[in-house]
Every structure is written in C-alpha cells, then in structure tokens.
Amino acid sequence: MSGTLKVCGSKAYVSQSPWIQSGKIEENILFGKEMNREKFEKVLEACSLTKDLEVLPFGDQTIIGEKGINLSGGQKQRVQIARALYQDADIYLFDDPFSAVDAHTGSHLFRECLLGILKTKTVIYVTHQIEFLPDADLILVMREGWITQSGKYDDILQSDTDFMELVGAHREALSPVISSETKPTFKTSSVTTKDTDSQSDFELEQTQKNVYDHHNISDDTVEPKGQLVQDEERERGRVGFKIYWKYITTAYGGAFVPFILLSQTLTMVFQIGSNYWMTLETPVSATAETDIESFTLMVVYVALAIGSSFFILVIAVLTLIAGYKTATMLFNKMHLCFFRAPMSFFDATPSGRIINRASTDQNTIDTSISELVWGVTFNLIHLLGNIAVMSQAAWQVFIVLIPIVAASMWYQSVTSPGIAGLAVIYGLSLNELQFNLIWFLCNLENEIISVERILQYTSIPSEAPLVIKENQPDHSWPSFGEVHIQDLQVRYAPHLPLVLHGLTCTFPAGAKTGIVGRTGSGKSTLVLTVFRLLEPVAGQILIDSVNISLIGIHDLRSRLSIIPQDPTMFEGTIRSNLDPLEEYTDEQIWKALDMCQLGDEVRKKEGKLDSIVTENGENWSMGQRQLVCLGRVLLKKSKILVLDEATASVDTATDNIIQQTVKQHFSECRVITIAHRITSIRDSDMVLFLNQGLIEEYDSPKKLLKNKSSHLAQLVAEYTRRKQKEVDAVAKDVRSRELKSEVRTYNDPVVQKWPIF
C-alpha cells in the first residue's frame, strides 16, 4: 500500500450489493437519525419508494425480514439509497447502485437523487450504464486497476479507448430493440418517436405509472395482514414439569435416571451407615469397652467408605454420560431442523435468534444443566437422610423441618431467585443442606429455560422430503421442459397477503420466456415457487406433466438450474465453487470456464483451479461472480434454466457474453429469464408481463409490440426514446472519427493504428 488519500467532510456509501438490517423500513432509512417527516417524504419520493410503501400492508412500518427477504432486489437497493440520502452527508459514494432496478426507475433515481437532492454534493458513482455518464463533470475510465482515461463525456468519445468498447457493447445490445421499433410492422405503436419527443418527463412518468396501475387488485379483496417477522414466543409463569421430564429422558429414553437416583441413595446410605457404625461401636468413655475389635471396626468403616466412594464415581460417570448425550442429541436435532426448515422459517426468523440458541443456550446445556438437575436430587436425598438421622434422637424434628423446607420451596417458586435467596438467608434458620437445595432449585429454574428454548427449535416444521420413492420421476425427467402453471396462489406466510393471485399459463418446451414487470410485481416469487422454496397456497405447477408438489425436493431442484440475482460464491477454491460435489473432470471445468469467458482470468492466477476464493467471493468482482454462476449451470446442463435478473449487476459487455452463451449452449433448453432490462429479453419467444401478482400480458414479443396499447410496447417505446438520442450521438461521433481517419490515410500512407480495448 502506498500513496495518500485525503477526504474532508462526512461520507455516505451505497454498495453494489444492498445491505439491509432486519427491522422496520423506517428504521433502515433513518439509521439512528431523528425523524423529520418532510425530509423523509422527500427522500421516499426521490427514491421512488412512495408507491411501494402504499402496496406494503404496514407502509414504512413494515418489518423487513432477514437480509431484506420480503423486498425485491430493486426495493432493497432503493431503501439503501434512501438511507444514504437521509444522512445528508458531504460526500456520496455510489457503487453501481442503479443496476438492480429497472430502466425507468434507474432514470428516475438518477434524475431525482444525483441531479436533484445531491446537486450541491460531491458524488462519486461507479456505473456500467453509459446513459448516466453525459451528466458527469469528470469521467474516469479504469482497466485492471489503472486509470486509462479521464475527462468529460464528449472529450472521451474523441479517442479510441476502453470507453469505446463499452459504448460499442451498449450499441450492440440496443440495436435489436431499436431496429424493432423502426420496423414498419410496429408503426401502430401508441408512442411514436415524434410524439415521444414532444412529451415532458413528467408526462412520460405518468404514462409509465398508468401502465402499472392498470388492472390493480380490487380494494374490496379481503387479505390477511401481518408482519413477516413476528415477535419471539414468550412463555409466562413457571417452566412446566414436561420440560424437566423431556430433559432427563432424552438420553437413552431416561434409562440412566433410576441408576443415578439409586446410586445417590446408596451413597447416602453408605455415608450414614459409616457414621452409624462409628457411633455405635465407639466407646462412650475411656473406661468403657466395646464388643468389636479395633481391626474389625476399621475394616467395616473402610468398606463402607469405599462403597460410598464407588457410588459417587458411578454418579459422576452416569451424570456425565447422560448430560453429554442429552446435550448432543438436542443440538443435533436442532441442527437437523435448521437444515430441513423451509425458507419461510429463515425469512421470518432473525439470525440472532438462531445464533443465541446455538451458542448461549447450548453452552448452558453443555456445562450447567446436568449438574443442577442431579445436584437438586442429591441434595434432596442428603437432606432427607439427615432428617432421618436426626429423628432418631428427636422425632419432633419432622414437625419443624418438613414445613420449613416446603415453605422455602413454595416461596422460591413464587418470587425471583434473588429475593428467595435473600429471604432464606436472612429470614430462615436453615442448615447448609437446606441452603444448597434452594440454591440449586433457583438456578435450575433459571437455566432450564435454555432447554425450553432449544426444544422450541427442535419442532420446526420441515420441508418436503428430499426423495419420495413412490413418486420419484424418471432419470431423464424433464425430457422436454414444458412448464404448466395452473391457478397458482402464493403467500410468504399464512398471516401475510397473497403475492401471486391465481396465475395460469404455459411455458412451451424448448422456448425462451421472458418475465418482466415492475419491481415487486412477483417475478422472483414465481421462481421461488418453481424451486419450491415457497409452497403454493393453491394451484399447481406441472413440469412435463409431473406435479412438482408431489415429488421430493431433491429430485426437483437437482434437475433445475438458476443464475440468481445475487451471485453466490463460497469460501474455498474455484474448483469447489464450480463443482462442489466433485462430479466433473478438470477438462470439463476448464471448458465451462472458457465458455463463460473466465478461462484466461483463472489461468493468470497462481493456483489455477485451486485459486483461493474468500468468504462470499469478495476477492472477485460482481461480474466475475455472476460468470462463475454461469459456469455452474454450463457444467450441470439442465433442461430448465432460470435467469433471475442475472445480468443486473454486470456491465453491458458482460451482459452480452451471458446472453450469447445462453443462446448458444442452451438452445435446446427451456430458458426462463426474469429481467428489468429490455435487452435481456430480446431473444425471448414469449413474454410474460406481471403486475402485482397478476398476469397482464402473455404472448410473443412480436404480437405484443404490434398492439399499440400493450404494456410491453409502451415500455419498449419509452426505453428506446431515452436510448435513441444517446446512440445517435455516439454513432455520429464514431462516423465523424472514421471520416477523419480516412482523410488522414489518404494524405499520409503511414498511419499508426491503435487497438480498441
């Protein structure tokens, strides 16, 4: 590390992968700041969150689940941007914040946030989308850690540099969309170029909102409302006897319990017996004589002492084994329940609750509970033994001690352990055993709650079985990849409203289907249902005529592939990330890397396939992580591939690589693409338009674009309107430089040619 960095003023950072804390949306935005309602509403409007909050059942008081699970990727990103805006910092750092939102929302964010609220602030933003660059005061073009060019937008376009590679890729991605808009077939579009140019930005925004407001769900529809994350269950009053019984009978069905109690009883019998023996056979005076010889006296005493010691050893061994076995069984059962729990459990359960049970509560069971449980029984037996001995001299002790002990135990149960202990110490004249017994009871009452909390998590409802033998599909399933959805209704939890409202459609075998819709329309929810991460409330999904709800989840998920919106890499190596189950050869892995354009990058690294990947793949860029996910599905070669906004966080060039790779190597597969970039669905055979969990349109892109009132036609018209001017300007500049180059070549035959990177 070298060099200096000087920063003056406060900073706010918006990361590429949205960071959301579990809590209310309001708390996520305020982030410790005091509420200023006027400022808060202004930030919501700038981040295009007002409409989303109207849809959510509790508005800004809606509790966000773990990692923002009940928000879409775009909503999480906008909440993160709103948090930064509300902080009113001096310097703002944006790491490609607009990639996770659709084109319209991205333009709104750029206009209202960067050019609006932050117009007087210092803003540094990283982006792959060149449409946001003309408004920058300074552009830095970087390659492999070096700044290759800097300047204003118009100045950079004058030279052949890395920037022109991005521009070229952007033009390539736009050309199919723009050409489709200029074809005579689509002259019936409701938004022509001439009309669009005459519209103001406000009118266009209203037009876009009307697209999504059309056919909204009726307000008369009665839906349950509730928070996704519920308050933790709390038990009141004393811990029930069944919890104690469950604890002592967990290990070997409680087979050790009678042996431990017997050993404790025999230990006390031997101790009392040795004392009785010494008392009976000890002379009452120096002149008195006994009937037993000293040797016999000592032998019997030692034998009784050895017997007592032996049973103490038995107690220690049995309690240790029982305690260890109980702790292990409870942990393993809880551990298994965690791994087999449905995703809805993790959606609604903060990770802190899980960690507390697996750490603090489990540690209590490991180290304390066993000692306390058997300490209570041993002290109780010891106390009863002492009372029995004392009664031999004064039977009246039963009248005094038994009521005192009973009263002490009752008083402990109705008040806190601290008060009970204080009352026992200062108010009751009990001997050491009584004190120990009450101390053990108080602590056991406190610590047994850990057993109760862990037992709660050993009864978590499980996912469907991994394999159902009587309904196991053929090895070749799915052979065609036809997906038929019938009246599908889905909600995230029983107390939450429906997210998908009776979807019915068919994805033909071998066709490519694009799913589009506004952020929060239910696109990703549909994918979760296909993989059975969410179970439908009603309806069914058939893949090649097989109801996926009737087969094992392993049989289902192992036959499907997905490139997720948030690319995931695990700590380990490149090899273990691409082939975690070690099913493929190195040759196959290298071939997959080459197909996803990562082969050269991996070969440069010292470890090649064994190159280190840090936690969450932090030593790889977002785009590279997305390409690794592409490499996984290339190895797997499933009949059904789902792209869940897979190119949202990558530059246009990488987007083109992914699209071309999918088109080339998955031509015989069913490809379902969820996208907010129009260019991502340009090769789709069918387009499904979702709005608030309902199907608005489903047809071929050609037919939808012919219909001037279709939502897709309006989206494409708006998208191309914003892009056309930019492409025309770039094309004009490129053509101008080509003409200049031709003139120079004609005048001077020796011309130095510079490559375009």
Side-chain angles (χ1 to χ4, degrees):
M1 299 291 291
S2 62
T4 58
L5 176 65
K6 296 182 179 179
V7 179
C8 298
S10 58
K11 301 174 290 297
Y13 172 62
V14 177
S15 61
Q16 189 174 21
S17 300
W19 183 86
I20 300 293
Q21 62 177 354
S22 183
K24 297 177 182 177
I25 293 178
E26 178 187 286
E27 296 171 347
N28 268 272
I29 295 175
L30 297 182
F31 210 59
K33 292 276 188 178
E34 293 184 1
M35 167 60 80
N36 182 327
R37 180 52 64 177
E38 181 180 356
K39 179 181 177 182
F40 187 77
E41 296 294 340
K42 184 179 179 182
V43 168
L44 291 181
E45 183 63 34
C47 294
S48 192
L49 281 170
T50 305
K51 185 176 179 62
D52 296 275
L53 295 183
E54 292 173 356
V55 176
L56 294 174
F58 293 91
D60 58 12
Q61 298 302 305
T62 300
I63 295 179
I64 302 176
E66 190 73 14
K67 297 183 180 179
I69 188 65
N70 51 335
L71 299 181
S72 68
Q75 288 171 329
K76 287 187 285 187
Q77 190 65 277
R78 284 180 282 138
V79 168
Q80 181 178 229
I81 294 173
R83 180 198 304 140
L85 295 182
Y86 196 85
Q87 300 306 305
D88 195 25
D90 300 313
I91 301 172
Y92 283 83
L93 307 173
F94 289 91
D95 186 3
D96 198 17
F98 309 127
S99 60
V101 298
D102 56 76
H104 170 76
T105 306
S107 298
H108 176 88
L109 290 172
F110 186 79
R111 182 176 65 252
E112 298 297 328
C113 297
L114 272 69
L115 302 183
I117 294 179
L118 302 181
K119 62 183 178 181
T120 61
K121 305 288 187 178
T122 299
V123 180
I124 301 173
Y125 62 97
V126 178
T127 183
H128 296 126
Q129 298 164 281
I130 65 173
E131 60 264 32
F132 299 130
L133 296 180
D135 293 297
D137 299 311
L138 177 65
I139 299 174
L140 301 179
V141 182
M142 300 192 66
R143 187 182 184 92
E144 297 180 355
W146 295 89
I147 297 176
T148 59
Q149 195 173 8
S150 64
K152 288 186 173 294
Y153 182 78
D154 294 333
D155 298 334
I156 294 180
L157 284 178
Q158 300 300 321
S159 59
D160 291 334
T161 58
D162 297 332
F163 184 68
M164 290 307 300
E165 181 180 344
L166 296 176
V167 173
H170 191 64
R171 292 179 62 201
E172 179 184 348
L174 286 175
S175 56
V177 179
I178 295 175
S179 63
S180 67
E181 278 293 292
T182 57
K183 288 180 181 179
T185 314
F186 307 128
K187 286 183 179 178
T188 57
S189 177
S190 61
V191 186
T192 63
T193 305
K194 181 178 179 180
D195 295 336
T196 304
D197 290 341
S198 64
Q199 286 182 308
S200 66
D201 290 337
F202 174 78
E203 290 170 334
L204 280 170
E205 186 172 343
Q206 290 301 111
T207 302
Q208 179 74 3
K209 286 184 178 180
N210 291 336
V211 169
Y212 296 116
D213 290 339
H214 187 55
H215 296 315
N216 276 348
I217 302 170
S218 172
D219 293 336
D220 296 334
T221 303
V222 178
E223 290 285 351
K225 291 185 177 181
Q227 297 282 17
L228 177 64
V229 180
Q230 298 292 301
D231 291 336
E232 191 169 10
E233 295 182 14
R234 295 178 182 272
E235 299 288 346
R236 299 186 180 277
R238 294 190 61 186
V239 178
F241 175 75
K242 65 178 182 179
I243 301 298
Y244 295 92
W245 183 253
K246 183 71 174 178
Y247 176 81
I248 63 177
T249 58
T250 295
Y252 308 107
F256 280 10
V257 173
F259 293 102
I260 293 174
L261 293 177
L262 178 62
S263 298
Q264 290 179 336
T265 303
L266 291 177
T267 298
M268 186 52 54
V269 169
F270 276 101
Q271 288 180 353
I272 294 174
S274 63
N275 292 331
Y276 257 103
W277 175 256
M278 294 299 294
T279 301
L280 294 175
E281 301 303 329
T282 300
V284 294
S285 65
T287 58
E289 295 183 358
T290 62
D291 298 332
I292 301 175
E293 297 181 356
S294 298
F295 178 77
T296 304
L297 180 66
M298 294 302 297
V299 168
V300 173
Y301 180 80
V302 170
L304 292 173
I306 292 175
S308 175
S309 301
F310 172 76
F311 284 109
I312 289 176
L313 177 62
V314 172
I315 293 171
V317 172
L318 293 181
T319 55
L320 180 62
I321 294 175
Y324 170 77
K325 186 65 176 180
T326 301
T328 303
M329 291 181 66
L330 289 176
F331 178 80
N332 288 340
K333 191 172 182 180
M334 179 178 65
H335 188 259
L336 179 62
C337 286
F338 285 153
F339 275 90
R340 296 290 295 122
M343 284 303 299
S344 57
F345 168 77
F346 298 99
D347 295 345
T349 306
S351 58
R353 296 182 189 175
I354 299 174
I355 293 173
N356 281 340
R357 282 167 171 79
S359 56
T360 305
D361 292 330
Q362 185 63 44
N363 180 68
T364 300
I365 294 177
D366 290 343
T367 60
S368 304
I369 299 293
S370 179
E371 178 184 352
L372 291 172
V373 168
W374 302 117
V376 168
T377 59
F378 186 71
N379 276 275
L380 181 59
I381 292 172
H382 199 171
L383 179 62
L384 293 176
N386 278 24
I387 293 175
V389 172
M390 294 172 64
S391 66
Q392 298 297 310
W395 60 267
Q396 294 86 352
V397 71
F398 286 103
I399 301 175
V400 178
L401 289 180
I402 292 180
I404 290 178
V405 172
S408 300
M409 293 175 65
W410 172 83
Y411 193 63
Q412 172 267 330
S413 68
V414 298
T415 188
S416 65
I419 299 298
L422 188 64
V424 168
I425 293 174
Y426 286 91
L428 302 174
S429 300
L430 299 177
N431 57 26
E432 183 179 356
L433 283 177
Q434 291 173 309
F435 172 80
N436 287 341
L437 178 60
I438 302 303
W439 184 90
F440 273 101
L441 282 171
C442 291
N443 282 277
L444 179 60
E445 183 78 14
N446 285 334
E447 303 292 352
I448 201 67
I449 295 173
S450 295
V451 176
E452 185 177 32
R453 284 163 54 86
I454 284 185
L455 287 175
Q456 284 181 343
Y457 276 24
T458 58
S459 56
I460 302 171
S462 176
E463 275 191 317
L466 296 176
V467 176
I468 301 177
K469 292 185 178 181
E470 56 270 21
N471 289 328
Q472 201 162 6
D474 295 335
H475 180 71
S476 59
W477 180 87
S479 54
F480 301 103
E482 182 182 70
V483 180
H484 184 53
I485 301 173
Q486 297 178 348
D487 191 29
L488 187 66
Q489 300 179 33
V490 178
R491 56 166 50 102
Y492 279 91
H495 59 280
L496 295 179
L498 289 173
V499 180
L500 299 180
H501 303 266
L503 302 189
T504 299
C505 61
T506 299
F507 301 159
K512 294 177 174 57
T513 302
I515 303 177
V516 296
R518 191 177 187 273
T519 297
S521 60
K523 304 186 297 294
S524 295
T525 303
L526 179 57
V527 172
L528 294 176
T529 310
V530 171
F531 281 84
R532 290 185 66 185
L533 295 175
L534 286 176
E535 296 289 350
V537 177
Q540 58 184 356
I541 298 177
L542 305 177
I543 298 180
D544 284 357
S545 301
V546 175
N547 188 343
I548 65 172
S549 296
L550 301 180
I551 64 175
I553 57 175
H554 174 73
D555 288 333
L556 170 67
R557 295 170 185 171
S558 62
R559 313 294 177 88
L560 309 179
S561 294
I562 184 172
I563 303 179
Q565 183 176 7
D566 298 321
T568 301
M569 291 185 72
F570 306 99
E571 186 174 1
T573 64
I574 292 295
R575 187 197 309 275
S576 63
N577 270 272
L578 286 169
D579 182 23
L581 300 180
E582 300 180 355
E583 297 176 327
Y584 305 99
T585 64
D586 286 2
E587 182 181 356
Q588 291 174 309
I589 295 175
W590 279 116
K591 184 178 180 181
L593 286 172
D594 289 332
M595 286 191 291
C596 66
Q597 308 295 315
L598 272 179
D600 293 339
E601 183 68 28
V602 175
R603 288 185 181 94
K604 291 178 184 177
K605 296 184 177 295
E606 183 178 353
K608 302 294 190 295
L609 291 179
D610 294 321
S611 300
I612 298 298
V613 176
T614 59
E615 186 177 2
N616 298 323
E618 294 296 336
N619 58 332
W620 293 75
S621 71
M622 183 70 75
Q624 289 173 328
R625 279 180 261 170
Q626 201 66 278
L627 291 176
V628 169
C629 293
L630 175 61
R632 288 195 195 115
V633 302
L634 286 169
L635 278 172
K636 194 173 181 181
K637 297 178 181 178
S638 300
K639 271 292 182 180
I640 297 179
L641 171 63
V642 178
L643 305 177
D644 185 7
E645 297 182 349
T647 59
S649 301
V650 300
D651 59 88
T652 309
T654 307
D655 186 359
N656 291 341
I657 291 173
I658 294 177
Q659 297 297 336
Q660 290 299 323
T661 303
V662 170
K663 183 177 181 180
Q664 179 181 356
H665 298 284
F666 293 92
S667 58
E668 301 298 325
C669 301
R670 138 75 48 214
V671 179
I672 302 173
T673 303
I674 296 178
H676 50 237
R677 289 181 182 176
I678 298 298
T679 55
S680 298
I681 58 170
R682 63 178 183 264
D683 295 323
S684 297
D685 301 307
M686 302 289 287
V687 173
L688 176 66
F689 194 102
L690 290 179
N691 178 27
Q692 294 189 6
L694 290 171
I695 296 178
E696 294 288 340
E697 298 170 347
Y698 182 49
D699 212 330
S700 67
K702 184 176 181 180
K703 291 182 179 180
L704 291 176
L705 289 174
K706 282 182 179 180
N707 182 4
K708 63 181 181 179
S709 62
S710 73
H711 301 327
L712 181 65
Q714 294 185 41
L715 283 176
V716 171
E718 183 192 356
Y719 186 78
T720 54
R721 181 197 72 85
R722 292 187 287 109
K723 304 296 184 181
Q724 183 66 63
K725 291 183 180 180
E726 174 192 339
V727 173
D728 289 343
V730 173
K732 181 179 179 181
D733 182 78
V734 171
R735 182 57 184 164
S736 175
R737 288 187 291 106
E738 288 176 351
L739 290 174
K740 291 179 181 179
S741 177
E742 291 174 3
V743 172
R744 288 197 303 270
T745 304
Y746 178 79
N747 294 332
D748 185 1
V750 181
V751 179
Q752 186 175 10
K753 298 180 179 179
W754 296 89
I756 300 177
F757 296 98

